[in-house]
Amino acid sequence: MNKILLLGDEAIALGAIDGGLSGVFAYPGTPSTEITEYIQASKEAKALGIKSEWSTNEKTAMETGIGMSYAGKKAMVCMKHVGLNVAADAFMNSAITGTNGGLVVVSADDPSMHSSQNEQDSRFYGKFAMIPILEPTNQQEAYNMAYYGLTLSEKFGTPVMIRVTTRLAHSRSGVERKERIPQNKMHLPGDHNQFILLPAMARKSYSGLLGKQSAFESDSETAGFNTFYDGDDKSLGIIACGLTYNYLIENFEEGKVPYPVLKIGQYPTPSAMVNSLYEAVDEILVLEEGAPLVEEMLRGLLNKGKKIRGRMEGSLPRAGELNPNLVAQALGMPVSEGYEIPSVIKGRPPVLCDGCPHIDSFEALNDAMKPFGRGHVFSDIGCYTLSALKPLESIDSCVDMGASITMAVGAAESGLSPAIAVIGDSTFTHSGMTGLLDAVVKQVAITVFILDNATVGMTGGQRSAALGRIEDICKGIGVEEAHIRVVKPLRRLHDENLAIYEEEIAYNGVSVIIPRRECVQTLSKRMKLKAFEKRNKK
Amino acid sequence: MHNHKQMKKDIILGGVGGQGILTIATTIGTAALLEGLYLKQSEVHGMSQRGGDVQAHLRISSKPIASDLIAAGKADMVISVEPMESLRYVNMLNKESGWLITSMNPFKNIPDYPTIEDLLKEIWKLPRYITIDAEKTAKDAGSIRAANIIILGAAAPFIGLKYESFEQAIRAIFAKKGDDIINMNLKALKMGFDYAQKHQ
Ligand SMILES: Cc1ncc(C[n+]2csc(CCOP(=O)(O)OP(=O)(O)O)c2C)c(N)n1
Ligand code: SF4
């Protein structure tokens, strides 16, 4: 059989395409971005007419997915873990409405926070919503689960979550394809009230969801993603969730673990399988990436049964990504070591690219803020957040996407003056616009910098929904036209720009400054492509 | 296809975001697939690509591979396009048999970057290493942009794949770029390879 080399993310994308997908809806976010990018670049997906344009944020993506499911087609919604916070209202309620066409929600977690502000574990959301969760061990399972997940969702009439973590999302291995399932034809839900969550109808739908729980669990026990491997040494039983199974078997010759092992890839947690493991062994070690979700369930509040070991109990670290060595340690096996890292090594944190427009924007802002000292600049999430580090050290906050404007409003309402917000163009349309409306309605004095580099830079240069629309949006929201100022962030225009910054910071109302210059990465990519096309024409 | 009785190489690739360590990973990966081997390649995307330290784990084997990550102390090789970055991963190296192959050309984007002498002193303490002026060698091959392929060439004698497989991989990967680029990279591969043969 022919195997294709795919990232875990790409395997999910291809599995969904082959599983009969009609549309992927997503907002970029590491480590989930490559799922949608794969579908966008796929000629096959294009020929099949699969929709794949970026959404403005995760909530609009989730709702668009629900809409496609309503219309009877199979949809997939993808985001990074914190994106699910943004989509949570739609997500939780989609579990109540249930689905018509299959609906898979992929949430990509980032343990160790390689590119994130926290390491929340999306399985809690799946459990919270009471829907099935699939968690792949490897790239092939990632493919299989996306393929199967769309069908499973249709079978139960419920959204299905796929949870991946950075390591699998961004690791490549060979994947075998299955036969492609044709897309659904558009068809409306049979029950006209299914998607109307008025209390009377919602109560009925909710009891429907509760009623499905035992079926979800029996699928967990039988579908094949949860597997029991017996072992002779019953002094220990191991539960390995998702890719932690790889770290476990890595530690044994030929992958032969002497202990009984329950590999979990589908939730709700299969209680019958867990129970038979528990009965057979002296103690249990739970391996799971992220939070101790399964471990906590097994221990319970009173923790009176057999010993349950894991991240909560302390055999494994409570925070951060697992690896083969940590698992070896938890098993009491010798841990391999390399050389000691010499002390001459220095840290090398990420930095803004040479020539990045944000550098010029912040150099002028730093000068404008000199008279006021630090503590006035609320920022947001994007490449420009790197201005928190040396040498710029320009900003004082980065909490969640969109929070710059609203935090500035709150601080201004407390008497902080000046109160400055700094937000990227994509973050502005993601969730800054509503905050700007708050500012206008509350008539507070804030100055908002919308750093327009014409792309979603941080995640690799995706199309920004803000492109060509920012001034109109600000005007429409009610910012006075005279206080919407566009500047070009360049070193040689520093003094000119600084004067404009100072003017608007002094203004006692809502003002918006838009430093506009393209990201040098996307610019150079565009130039290379142009040169390539020119060469090929000749 | 090529039948390996038993082979397994665990390789850590190191560098700075933007230096293109994935080209090396992709070339080795393609060569491994040409020989019918299993492969897992864990990459870095996202935040740290902005000029921070980046690493990739590349595992090739004649048998199916479990973990996407290499265990500390188990890597057969550290291949780095930057000297300080090569030392960042010596904790991953197998002390019995591991090789460190690195460029000697520093990438200085931090204020407290150590001196090259201090770095080389540490590298040269290791029992098995290749240090090469990749930029100069690449210039001799035709373009400084082939520095990565110089490093790959210098690592090639220790990877356990056939030299022709690397050549074939380079032809496939640079196919779109035309014959001049392909030949320049083949030359770079050879120059790196010869250097390592002479200096191991
Ligand atoms: C809710 C949420 N979704 C997605 C992300 C991932 N993410 C971080 S910054 C960013 C966009 C940045 O784009 P922009 O605001 O235009 O700034 P730039 O990086 O281009 O400077 C994204 C998608 C996130 N951190 N949180
Ligand atoms: S990717 Fe673009 S926006 Fe981000 S730091 Fe580099 S130049 Fe600036």
Side-chain angles (χ1 to χ4, degrees):
Chain A
M1 230 332 193
N2 217 1
K3 286 198 175 178
I4 329 167
L5 204 54
L6 295 176
L7 292 177
D9 272 353
E10 297 171 340
I12 290 173
L14 190 60
I17 293 174
D18 290 344
L21 185 76
S22 291
V24 62
F25 304 103
Y27 182 73
T30 314
S32 71
T33 313
E34 292 79 4
I35 306 172
T36 305
E37 287 185 331
Y38 183 87
I39 299 177
Q40 289 173 341
S42 155
K43 287 192 183 115
E44 242 176 306
K46 188 166 267 164
L48 291 164
I50 297 174
K51 306 287 183 235
S52 61
E53 187 56 81
W54 293 110
S55 300
T56 305
N57 66 36
E58 293 85 355
K59 178 171 184 284
T60 67
M62 183 70 220
E63 290 156 351
T64 314
I66 298 172
M68 183 169 263
S69 165
Y70 170 92
K73 295 198 176 183
K74 287 178 177 161
M76 181 162 73
V77 184
C78 310
M79 59 200 78
K80 71 181 287 162
H81 58 343
V82 288
L84 193 48
N85 299 332
V86 177
D89 196 7
F91 171 76
M92 292 299 296
N93 287 306
S94 74
I96 316 280
T97 63
T99 59
N100 182 25
L103 180 59
V104 163
V105 180
V106 185
S107 186
D109 292 356
D110 191 17
S112 278
M113 305 178 226
H114 297 284
S115 299
S116 307
Q117 68 267 47
N118 75 27
E119 59 172 31
Q120 65 186 58
D121 186 331
S122 295
R123 293 177 303 168
F124 283 95
Y125 263 116
K127 189 167 180 289
F128 192 19
M130 292 187 283
I131 60 172
I133 309 168
L134 304 174
E135 186 183 13
T137 305
N138 54 38
Q139 292 77 358
Q140 184 66 56
E141 261 188 16
Y143 174 94
N144 294 354
M145 286 177 171
Y147 183 92
Y148 169 75
L150 286 167
T151 306
L152 183 70
S153 165
E154 256 168 37
K155 179 173 125 189
F156 287 132
T158 312
V160 167
M161 171 186 274
I162 295 180
R163 184 243 188 175
V164 280
T165 51
T166 308
R167 200 50 64 184
L168 179 56
H170 288 167
S171 170
R172 224 173 266 285
S173 193
V175 170
E176 239 168 65
R177 290 180 81 166
K178 298 178 192 295
E179 202 177 321
R180 193 162 56 73
I181 300 171
Q183 292 180 50
N184 292 348
K185 294 237 159 38
M186 195 191 74
H187 63 278
L188 296 181
D191 172 4
H192 201 80
N193 288 338
Q194 185 190 336
F195 286 81
I196 306 177
L197 293 183
L198 268 173
M201 298 158 191
R203 277 180 214 115
K204 204 170 132 230
S205 303
Y206 183 50
S207 78
L209 176 65
L210 294 175
K212 289 176 193 168
Q213 296 303 308
S214 57
F216 294 169
E217 185 163 340
S218 86
D219 202 76
S220 272
E221 309 268 358
T222 54
F225 289 127
N226 295 329
T227 326
F228 178 73
Y229 304 93
D230 207 359
D232 295 334
D233 187 345
K234 311 282 193 226
S235 63
L236 180 70
I238 299 170
I239 295 179
C241 304
L243 92 169
T244 65
Y245 180 72
N246 303 335
Y247 300 151
L248 172 66
I249 63 172
E250 182 71 27
N251 281 299
F252 296 93
E253 246 351 274
E254 306 280 323
K256 284 193 191 96
V257 185
Y259 313 105
V261 178
L262 173 58
K263 169 175 169 278
I264 293 188
Q266 182 172 346
Y267 309 77
T269 311
S271 55
M273 292 176 108
V274 172
N275 192 47
S276 50
L277 178 74
Y278 185 88
E279 291 301 329
V281 299
D282 298 340
E283 59 178 51
I284 286 186
L285 172 67
V286 185
L287 308 174
E288 50 196 328
E289 199 68 289
L293 178 133
V294 172
E295 186 188 350
E296 191 173 359
M297 284 199 290
L298 257 65
R299 287 162 67 98
L301 187 62
L302 303 177
N303 193 22
K304 282 186 167 165
K306 291 180 182 170
K307 184 160 191 190
I308 310 293
R309 300 203 287 121
R311 310 193 79 145
M312 202 174 177
E313 166 269 344
S315 291
L316 290 160
R318 177 63 182 79
E321 198 181 3
L322 296 181
N323 61 43
N325 292 84
L326 288 171
V327 172
Q329 209 168 358
L331 289 165
M333 297 172 73
V335 177
S336 57
E337 272 175 21
Y339 300 96
E340 202 174 317
I341 299 174
S343 56
V344 291
I345 302 303
K346 296 289 179 290
R348 197 186 306 252
V351 288
L352 292 165
C353 306
D354 276 342
C356 174
H358 297 331
I359 298 174
D360 296 303
S361 299
F362 283 112
E363 278 178 352
L365 181 61
N366 281 358
D367 282 351
M369 294 310 291
K370 260 192 199 132
F372 310 106
R374 284 202 66 166
H376 296 261
V377 183
F378 302 93
S379 190
D380 232 296
I381 307 189
C383 286
Y384 50 93
T385 316
L386 295 173
S387 70
L389 310 176
K390 280 194 167 74
L392 287 164
E393 299 185 312
S394 308
I395 62 172
D396 304 298
S397 77
C398 159
V399 178
D400 65 274
M401 285 187 76
S404 58
I405 300 180
T406 30
M407 281 180 70
V409 170
E413 297 263 61
S414 320
L416 184 75
S417 173
I420 312 288
V422 183
I423 186 167
D425 54 320
S426 176
T427 306
F428 176 65
T429 44
H430 176 282
S431 50
M433 300 189 291
T434 43
L436 186 61
L437 182 58
D438 274 355
V440 168
V441 169
K442 293 178 198 290
Q443 297 189 322
V444 291
I446 64 167
T447 305
V448 181
F449 289 80
I450 304 176
L451 306 182
D452 184 8
N453 60 355
T455 192
V456 194
M458 181 90 264
T459 45
Q462 293 77 19
R463 180 196 56 80
S464 166
L467 199 63
R469 298 193 169 88
I470 298 176
E471 290 93 309
D472 285 344
I473 292 171
C474 294
K475 262 186 260 172
I477 283 174
V479 181
E480 283 174 54
E481 210 167 334
H483 294 285
I484 302 173
R485 313 282 295 266
V486 180
V487 302
K488 187 160 191 177
L490 280 174
R491 170 154 295 191
R492 68 177 162 80
L493 300 178
H494 177 89
D495 294 350
E496 209 173 294
N497 293 343
L498 175 61
I500 295 174
Y501 284 21
E502 285 169 342
E503 232 174 274
E504 293 306 332
I505 290 170
Y507 171 62
N508 187 25
V510 178
S511 55
V512 171
I513 296 175
I514 307 168
R516 175 170 291 146
R517 179 158 71 81
E518 186 174 354
C519 157
V520 295
Q521 294 292 343
T522 55
L523 183 70
S524 94
K525 248 186 249 165
R526 267 197 314 122
M527 292 304 158
K528 271 188 203 149
L529 194 69
K530 233 192 211 165
F532 179 75
E533 280 166 359
K534 213 164 135 194
R535 238 186 303 132
N536 280 18
K537 246 187 228 152
K538 266 193 274 176
Chain B
M1 274 217 192
H2 182 86
N3 267 337
H4 287 269
K5 269 215 186 82
Q6 278 276 18
M7 92 82 81
K8 181 166 164 296
K9 276 285 179 301
D10 288 338
I11 304 169
I12 303 279
L13 291 143
V16 181
Q19 281 192 310
I21 59 167
L22 289 186
T23 313
I24 302 180
T26 309
T27 315
I28 302 174
T30 307
L33 289 184
L34 285 168
E35 298 196 13
L37 296 166
Y38 289 94
L39 170 89
K40 271 200 176 173
Q41 178 183 321
S42 168
E43 307 173 358
V44 171
H45 298 218
M47 186 87 166
S48 39
Q49 279 175 301
R50 306 265 158 281
D53 56 279
V54 290
Q55 55 167 318
H57 292 219
L58 179 63
R59 313 191 66 193
I60 51 187
S61 172
S62 48
K63 287 193 197 143
I65 301 159
S67 170
D68 299 85
L69 287 178
I70 298 165
K74 292 276 182 70
D76 300 296
M77 307 173 75
V78 167
I79 304 177
S80 174
V81 295
E82 210 279 346
M84 184 174 84
E85 295 310 320
S86 76
L87 284 170
R88 201 184 292 285
Y89 306 109
V90 292
N91 67 320
M92 301 301 289
L93 265 184
N94 185 323
K95 286 198 273 194
E96 265 80 68
S97 57
W99 277 87
L100 183 139
I101 291 97
T102 184
S103 150
M104 292 197 279
N105 310 110
F107 185 99
K108 296 183 185 174
N109 63 349
I110 49 169
D112 52 351
Y113 192 94
T115 66
I116 184 71
E117 289 75 25
D118 282 348
L119 291 173
L120 289 175
K121 209 165 71 196
E122 292 294 341
I123 295 171
W124 292 344
K125 276 187 202 160
L126 296 171
R128 287 163 296 272
Y129 63 85
I130 300 284
T131 44
I132 180 168
D133 185 339
E135 285 177 8
K136 183 180 170 298
T137 319
K139 257 184 233 152
D140 295 344
S143 163
I144 192 163
R145 296 182 54 193
N148 280 354
I149 303 297
I150 299 283
I151 302 288
L152 169 64
F158 315 101
I159 297 179
L161 300 174
K162 290 192 295 180
Y163 187 76
E164 302 83 73
S165 305
F166 292 111
E167 291 183 314
Q168 225 176 316
I170 284 179
R171 284 200 189 89
I173 287 163
F174 294 99
K176 271 196 195 152
K177 305 232 163 133
D179 283 345
D180 290 351
I181 302 279
I182 291 177
N183 290 329
M184 194 260 292
N185 280 298
L186 289 175
K187 191 170 165 199
L189 181 76
K190 185 79 175 54
M191 289 173 77
F193 189 84
D194 289 346
Y195 181 91
Q197 294 283 42
K198 240 183 279 156
H199 291 84
Q200 59 174 287

